[in-house]
Amino acid sequence: MFPTRLRGLPVALLLALTAPIAVDPAAAAPLSETALAAQRQSYLDAERALAAGDRTRMRTLSPQLRDYPLYPYLRARELGQNLATASSAEIRQFLSQWADVPAAARLRGAWLRALAEQSRWDDVIADYRPGPDPELDCLYRTALLNRDRPDVALNNFQALWLREQPLPAACDRPVQAWASQGGLTPALAWQRFAALMGARNPAAARPVQTWLEPADQAWARLWLQVDQNPALILQAPDLQMAGSDRGAGIVTWGLARWIERNSAEAAPAFDEIRRRGLIADEQLLPLERRLAVLLAARRHPDALRRLDALGSSREDDSIREWRARLGLAQGDWPLVLRSIEHMPAAQAAQAGWRYWRARALESSGQNGTAERLYRELAGERDYYGLLAARRIGTPPTWTQRPLPRPPVATLRGLAARPAVQRARELFLLGRPGEARSEWEPVLRNADTATWRAAALLAADWNWYGQAIIWLARAGDWDDLVLRFPTPWRSEFENAAQDTQLPPAWLYAVARVESTLLPEARSGAGALGLMQLLPDTARGVASSIGYRLGDNSQLFDPAVNIRLGSVYLRQLLDRFGGNPVLATAAYNAGLRRVGEWLPAGTELAADVWIDTIPYSETRAYVRRVWEYMAIYESRLGGTAHGFEVERIEARAP
């Protein structure tokens, strides 16, 4: 089990830190843990009664829960079920009393939508509060328009119009009113269209064409065509006219799109656009840099020439880094050394480039200088320190330093906050998403001492991910017990045994993927501790004869760990037992890693990792390697990470 982080404190203080305060500040002393546990069960019973429409049971339970931290959630749910018949006074009393509770904000949104459906515009005006939801903003503006207050309704509407996101249907009436009063000018229409295209949201940009002038509608149609086929920037006659602002903007955008999609194919197009003078040199420079970097990442034969063609005055850190990486990929150690020596002092002093300088010196026979650099790096607890320690055959430095404790008053004050009490109850009820909505606003602008206290409290609750997050926010890196906990120990060890994988590797992947938050959900739709895409999870489940129900099962640590470990095993087998390649594929996918294998010759594993084309995957593999070594130490083994020397060339 994860150790209690409040060890050494008196029992009375522990109770003070974890007991909830009453809803009414003037009420009696905080509830005991025993009473709190009983109320927690009553709260669940009340939720079930509410869901079943059992009003008699609700009337019995509700008064008993008035001093329970989550009472406002129960009350908000009760009111939310009866919005059609609820009185304004009743809703307003709740929204006023519990204004700082996220449940109140959700109820306000549902209430405003219900009022708008009933055309209760005066109530919408009275109960709206400014916030980030554009739908509610537009319902409020619509209410003002219905009460003949257009000046207030359309005040600062331009800011909403220029946001780089689709507008909900509720905004149609305000947009029409704004346009009829002359606020929506053709220039603003083009500005929104261009902003949405720049944000790569052509679906949201298309409806804006209605508000464009005829000439700009033609430009917009051409831009949308270029989105589908960037090669049109060299073919469409209207785009070949130097000096056209609209045309130059579309060509610039299209070239950037082309470079990102296929840098090798876009390179001659870049040269032709420069020859024709379609884009000013200052606009071409960032595209030229990006093209050179992507060609270098692809190890294109023309990459070094393009990097060098920029010259010292036009290059940036990424250009200098990729010149060195090209040297690594080609085994050209003199080029690596020259590239690092050409870097500004701050860049060359980064751990990675110090390590590669040592490797380059070692390759040229300067072993004494190289060993001195390795020894300096080996004293640092990071990926490159681990590599350096292995180069000279010394154990890495994994010193555990417990977190300095903030003042007791800070701990007590944080634990006593109503929002923190609600967060704790929500977490204990298995609702970490709602818990975070209470927890994070309290800490967002807090000081370092409060963040440390938050890490300690979260660890005491076994809220591992939040302990890690707030420890990092405080800038404390040395408490390895807090930073690298070992929850779900039996699940990880069983999965390791079933798949014949090191448990430290599984822990490291989960730690990097989700920060050990079982409820984690990525923007791409990956779910749970080991961040599995639902389709991937179903394929893995099918391969082992496991029946996976709906996607919510992936938030169950036992299920997620089992399927994630099997998937990692499958990747390992696919890449001939090479854990470096399997780790990279876990992040970037099988196809990409297959494309990144060296052609014609094998590469040292550390070289291959640092020449991975995707910066995200480079960082991912490094972190998994580093975290695996730490977890080996935490689990009682020897910290060494992956023992992989070479990455073999792909078959011709």
Side-chain angles (χ1 to χ4, degrees), residues 163-376:
R163 290 170 66 174
E164 296 176 359
Q165 64 182 45
L167 291 178
C171 293
D172 290 350
R173 170 84 185 281
V175 169
Q176 292 285 350
W178 189 48
S180 67
Q181 293 199 1
L184 178 45
T185 64
L188 284 172
W190 180 260
Q191 191 174 347
R192 175 166 172 78
F193 181 87
L196 289 167
M197 291 298 292
R200 296 188 176 177
N201 195 343
R206 285 190 183 90
V208 182
Q209 293 177 90
T210 304
W211 304 103
L212 297 173
E213 291 183 322
D216 278 343
Q217 287 180 358
W219 284 116
R221 286 193 296 271
L222 183 53
W223 197 340
L224 289 166
Q225 292 168 4
V226 169
D227 176 60
Q228 297 299 311
N229 180 16
L232 286 175
I233 61 176
L234 290 177
Q235 301 166 11
D238 290 345
L239 296 179
Q240 311 311 306
M241 298 182 296
S244 165
D245 289 341
R246 294 282 193 263
I250 294 171
V251 171
T252 302
W253 184 92
L255 181 56
R257 187 83 159 143
W258 200 349
I259 288 170
E260 294 296 331
R261 285 183 179 180
N262 190 326
S263 56
E265 187 181 273
F270 175 91
D271 296 337
E272 179 63 16
I273 285 169
R274 167 172 277 171
R275 187 189 68 77
R276 296 183 189 180
L278 299 179
I279 305 177
D281 282 346
E282 60 269 19
Q283 292 174 295
L284 275 177
L285 178 57
L287 298 178
E288 186 176 17
R289 287 175 178 151
R290 184 62 179 158
L291 175 62
V293 164
L294 289 177
L295 289 173
R298 290 172 58 105
R299 301 174 192 168
H300 191 278
D302 196 36
L304 184 58
R305 182 190 69 79
R306 287 188 180 269
L307 291 170
D308 289 342
L310 283 157
S312 297
S313 63
R314 289 156 54 89
E315 66 185 11
D316 58 12
D317 285 355
S318 65
I319 298 297
R320 289 184 284 266
E321 287 183 1
W322 273 104
R323 186 181 290 114
R325 289 195 181 102
L326 273 179
L328 290 174
Q330 297 168 3
D332 188 341
W333 292 107
L335 174 59
V336 173
L337 194 56
R338 289 196 307 273
S339 300
I340 296 171
E341 290 173 345
H342 180 65
M343 293 176 178
Q347 188 177 12
Q350 294 170 7
W353 299 119
R354 287 159 57 204
Y355 173 78
W356 290 116
R357 182 167 181 266
R359 288 276 269 119
L361 290 169
E362 182 184 7
S363 72
S364 65
Q366 300 180 57
N367 295 333
T369 306
E371 183 170 348
R372 176 178 59 79
L373 291 173
Y374 286 140
R375 291 195 180 279
E376 290 175 1

Side-chain angles (χ1 to χ4, degrees), residues 504-529:
W505 188 15
L506 301 182
Y507 264 120
V509 169
R511 173 65 169 77
V512 174
E513 286 285 349
S514 66
T515 321
L516 299 181
L517 291 166
E519 74 279 10
R521 184 192 301 265
S522 78
L527 306 176
L529 277 175

Side-chain angles (χ1 to χ4, degrees), residues 25-98:
L31 298 169
S32 69
E33 279 296 316
T34 301
L36 191 59
Q39 282 208 325
R40 197 175 298 136
Q41 185 57 53
S42 295
Y43 177 80
L44 293 173
D45 291 343
E47 281 190 325
R48 285 190 287 269
L50 190 59
D54 187 345
R55 294 182 178 277
T56 301
R57 180 67 172 155
M58 265 296 297
R59 283 194 295 269
T60 301
L61 291 168
S62 185
Q64 305 171 24
L65 293 167
R66 291 186 185 278
D67 59 349
Y68 179 57
L70 297 186
Y71 175 74
Y73 282 78
L74 184 67
R75 182 65 177 142
R77 184 169 298 184
E78 184 179 17
L79 290 170
Q81 288 187 354
N82 300 286
L83 287 178
T85 58
S87 70
S88 299
E90 188 177 28
I91 295 290
R92 287 169 185 163
Q93 191 277 331
F94 176 87
L95 294 177
S96 174
Q97 181 178 0
W98 303 106

Side-chain angles (χ1 to χ4, degrees), residues 121 124-125 128 134-161 170-181 183:
W121 303 118
V124 171
I125 294 168
Y128 173 75
E135 181 186 9
L136 299 183
D137 185 333
C138 285
L139 288 179
Y140 171 64
R141 293 175 186 274
T142 299
L144 291 166
L145 289 170
N146 282 312
R147 290 298 178 259
D148 296 322
R149 298 170 62 186
D151 292 344
V152 181
L154 302 177
N155 181 48
N156 200 31
F157 191 76
Q158 179 175 323
L160 185 63
W161 173 255
C171 293
D172 290 350
R173 170 84 185 281
V175 169
Q176 292 285 350
W178 189 48
S180 67
Q181 293 199 1

Side-chain angles (χ1 to χ4, degrees), residues 472-508:
R473 186 71 65 88
D476 288 292
W477 310 106
D478 294 332
D479 193 327
L480 301 184
V481 174
L482 261 181
R483 289 187 61 216
F484 298 94
T486 56
W488 307 290
R489 185 76 171 261
S490 62
E491 287 85 349
F492 275 107
E493 289 180 345
N494 289 339
Q497 184 175 1
D498 290 343
T499 57
Q500 294 299 292
L501 298 178
W505 188 15
L506 301 182
Y507 264 120

Side-chain angles (χ1 to χ4, degrees), residues 369-428:
T369 306
E371 183 170 348
R372 176 178 59 79
L373 291 173
Y374 286 140
R375 291 195 180 279
E376 290 175 1
L377 279 168
E380 300 181 16
R381 193 185 60 245
D382 64 7
Y383 168 77
Y384 293 105
L386 179 66
L387 292 185
R390 292 184 62 189
R391 298 295 299 184
I392 57 177
T394 63
T397 303
W398 304 125
T399 303
Q400 157 69 10
R401 295 186 180 90
L403 177 67
R405 293 193 172 280
V408 169
T410 300
L411 284 166
R412 184 184 305 176
L414 179 61
R417 294 191 187 188
V420 173
Q421 294 291 339
R422 292 192 294 268
R424 179 174 185 257
E425 288 303 305
L426 288 164
F427 174 72
L428 291 176

